Amino acid sequence: MIDISRNGIEFKITSVCDEGFSWWNNYNNWEKETFAVFDKYLRSDMVYFDLGTYTGQTVLYASQKVKNVYGVELDIRAFNACSENIKANNMTNIVVDNIAISNTNGYVNCTGKLGGSSRRISNTEGSETESMTIDSLMSKWGVDTCDFIKIDIEGAEEIILPAMDDFFNKHKPIVWLSVHRHYGATADTIVNSLGKIYNTVYDYLGNEVTGNLRNAINSGPPGFGNDYLFINE
């Protein structure tokens, strides 16, 4: 077990996957930009969605800043570890399901090492995992609103964002999106799906890229660091 303390938020880690317990010793230095966004925008009256929880890196933190947390993790090993960490901290405002967020209800193929951080939907290979749309998930959870959504789904944003148009138009949550070009995500899909709904976009360093989003995505790193905040200000 490891005791975590970051920016005044404390929790315990009792279960891990491939990141190992040693990774958590450097948790304070991980994705500082993400936590700066959380600290600035998350509020105690918010409903927070987390698409891609892994072993709890963001839900355990966010749960102490918001009213309720709902998340999905398609990797069964990561889901089990996340569930154990939630239980170890007696966190009653978090619901996480072993589901792949997708554009259809049913089953999808997933590839990438189980327990790794890059398990993802695949159109061509892999093992089957149950999938649900965002609307079906909200119905399952019994929630009718979303104030903030973190999306880190390893390239599946190419499939899922177009299917979430109604969700974004209706709820207009603040969006923290990780773009994975190396797994097939394209700037065109992101601009067409989110650019028409949100009037302000910042990159992960806090630079406004509202009018230059397509170029910012294409010129940014293919993986980590190509993160964007979508908000209506």
Side-chain angles (χ1 to χ4, degrees):
M1 182 181 73
I2 293 180
D3 291 320
I4 299 295
S5 178
R6 180 170 185 167
N7 301 337
I9 300 294
E10 297 182 350
F11 53 86
K12 304 177 188 300
I13 293 298
T14 60
S15 186
V16 297
C17 283
D18 284 5
E19 85 275 27
F21 283 104
S22 61
W23 180 91
W24 286 93
N25 289 325
N26 295 310
Y27 181 70
N28 277 333
N29 296 314
W30 178 69
E31 292 198 11
K32 290 182 177 181
E33 297 80 11
T34 294
F35 290 88
V37 167
F38 286 175
D39 290 343
K40 182 175 181 178
Y41 292 103
L42 293 183
R43 303 188 313 269
S44 60
D45 60 343
M46 281 184 162
V47 174
Y48 167 91
F49 287 5
D50 196 304
L51 306 186
T53 68
Y54 197 44
T55 59
Q57 281 76 359
T58 46
V59 294
L60 297 171
Y61 188 93
S63 70
Q64 298 186 56
K65 287 183 167 288
V66 301
K67 182 179 179 181
N68 292 107
V69 173
Y70 299 91
V72 292
E73 174 53 54
L74 57 76
D75 184 322
I76 185 60
R77 282 191 60 206
F79 166 75
N80 287 339
C82 185
S83 298
E84 287 298 317
N85 290 325
I86 293 168
K87 182 179 179 181
N89 288 279
N90 297 312
M91 291 176 169
T92 59
N93 66 333
I94 307 177
V95 175
V96 175
D97 283 307
N98 180 212
I99 298 287
I101 179 74
S102 188
N103 56 357
T104 59
N105 295 324
Y107 290 86
V108 292
N109 290 329
C110 293
T111 191
K113 184 183 178 184
L114 278 170
S117 61
S118 61
R119 186 79 172 161
R120 59 196 182 278
I121 291 175
S122 170
N123 289 326
T124 59
E125 61 181 357
S127 57
E128 283 193 335
T129 298
E130 185 179 1
S131 67
M132 295 182 76
T133 66
I134 191 67
D135 292 334
S136 294
L137 278 167
M138 291 182 71
S139 178
K140 181 179 188 294
W141 293 329
V143 295
D144 58 8
T145 190
C146 175
D147 302 300
F148 189 113
I149 184 168
K150 187 218 82 177
I151 306 174
D152 188 359
I153 49 180
E154 307 297 320
E157 53 268 29
E158 187 72 9
I159 300 169
I160 294 159
L161 291 182
M164 294 177 66
D165 275 359
D166 289 345
F167 167 84
F168 290 120
N169 273 304
K170 179 179 181 180
H171 303 290
K172 294 182 173 60
I174 298 170
V175 180
W176 182 241
L177 173 71
S178 294
V179 180
H180 300 82
R181 289 191 295 118
H182 59 315
Y183 289 141
T186 67
D188 284 347
T189 292
I190 292 153
V191 171
N192 292 337
S193 296
L194 296 173
K196 62 188 178 185
I197 299 172
Y198 293 91
N199 62 28
T200 308
V201 186
Y202 297 100
D203 68 12
Y204 84 112
L205 294 175
N207 301 307
E208 186 175 347
V209 294
T210 309
N212 193 38
L213 179 57
R214 182 176 281 101
N215 181 65
I217 293 171
N218 286 331
S219 61
F224 171 74
N226 218 352
D227 304 319
Y228 298 91
L229 179 73
F230 294 82
I231 190 169
N232 284 318
E233 292 185 323

